[in-house]
Amino acid sequence: MNQPMDTFEIIFKGGILMWPIMATSVVALTIIIERFIVLRRASIDTREFMDAMRQVLRQNRIRDAVELCDETDAPVARIMKAGLLKANRSKEDIREAIEDAGHLETPRLERRLSALATCANIAPLLGLLGTVQGMIKCFAQIQNKRGQVNPSDLAEGISNALVTTAAGLTVAIPILVVYNYLVARVDNMILEMEISSSELLELLTKGRADYEM
């Protein structure tokens, strides 16, 4: 009775293109773990943070608001701090400071997502290339034996074709799902930063004469 093939046998059956497919999966997994850690650390309860910010600003306590930002390790807090440090400037200066801080924070959230998307695109293409390679082997066998071939003569080429295609899709599908999740999460965080920035600008410029550093 034949035993099922183990992982290494399957890789061997897939041919040389299985190695770049595996490398793609390792790179993607590394990026996914790193992004989950970064986004987890960057995530805070924005509503709770802004409630506290609103409370101290309504009491003209700019310094306390800056300290609150220093105590909160999150992109939205760093953007808020940039605006607070310009609290005694014009509305345009405050807006510019907030926008500049946002331009620094957004790429940090989006970092390596393009590489993850590339992995999702490359994996099935490598599988397709393996399929083509397998078919080339099959036709080469047919040509070498002048059409007098047995199924076993074509087994290697067909195995290359099927295994690499399956491997490429197996790697690409979960990467694509996680990529879309991460993009949605980053977009949501950016939206929260934009809303919080607009609220801070309004708080700092409404009755600003009452505020003191």
Side-chain angles (χ1 to χ4, degrees):
M1 183 175 181
N2 294 330
Q3 296 182 349
M5 292 187 294
D6 60 25
T7 303
F8 291 105
E9 286 180 308
I10 294 174
I11 293 172
F12 180 77
K13 291 286 185 180
I16 193 171
L17 284 173
M18 286 294 292
W19 297 107
I21 292 174
M22 290 177 61
T24 300
S25 68
V26 171
V27 171
L29 181 60
T30 303
I31 294 173
I32 289 170
I33 294 173
E34 187 268 346
R35 285 292 89 193
F36 267 107
I37 293 173
V38 169
L39 294 181
R40 181 181 178 85
R41 291 175 178 173
S43 298
I44 62 170
D45 188 336
T46 307
R47 181 178 299 179
E48 181 179 339
F49 174 76
M50 288 307 298
D51 285 343
M53 184 70 66
R54 203 177 296 114
Q55 182 178 356
V56 296
L57 289 179
R58 284 173 178 169
Q59 297 174 14
N60 306 334
R61 295 155 52 194
I62 300 295
R63 289 186 184 277
D64 290 344
V66 173
E67 290 177 1
L68 178 62
C69 292
D70 288 334
E71 294 170 358
T72 307
D73 185 17
V76 65
R78 290 188 284 270
I79 292 174
M80 297 296 100
K81 181 179 177 180
L84 290 168
L85 293 176
K86 300 288 185 178
N88 59 341
R89 303 286 187 87
S90 67
K91 184 175 182 178
E92 289 304 317
D93 287 342
I94 298 172
R95 179 183 288 112
E96 184 177 352
I98 290 174
E99 289 177 352
D100 289 343
H103 291 157
L104 291 175
E105 295 298 332
T106 300
R108 291 174 183 171
L109 295 175
E110 296 176 338
R111 185 178 298 166
R112 298 188 180 91
L113 289 183
S114 59
L116 189 60
T118 300
C119 290
N121 291 325
I122 284 178
L125 292 178
L126 289 171
L128 179 61
L129 182 59
T131 301
V132 174
Q133 182 187 57
M135 292 299 98
I136 290 173
K137 286 184 178 180
C138 288
F139 284 114
Q141 284 283 57
I142 294 172
Q143 184 178 18
N144 289 338
K145 298 196 174 183
R146 301 182 182 278
Q148 304 299 316
V149 293
N150 296 317
S152 59
D153 296 328
L154 306 178
E156 181 181 357
I158 294 174
S159 179
N160 287 161
L162 295 179
V163 172
T164 53
T165 300
L169 292 175
T170 301
V171 170
I173 291 172
I175 293 176
L176 185 60
V177 171
V178 176
Y179 167 77
N180 287 329
Y181 167 77
L182 292 174
V183 168
R185 188 169 176 181
V186 169
D187 288 344
N188 185 59
M189 294 178 69
I190 292 173
L191 179 60
E192 288 181 348
M193 290 190 297
E194 290 175 350
I195 294 173
S196 300
S197 299
S198 298
E199 185 174 354
L200 176 69
L201 186 62
E202 182 180 353
L203 289 169
L204 291 177
T205 56
K206 182 179 180 182
R208 59 179 302 129
D210 296 330
Y211 291 135
E212 296 179 358
M213 286 294 293

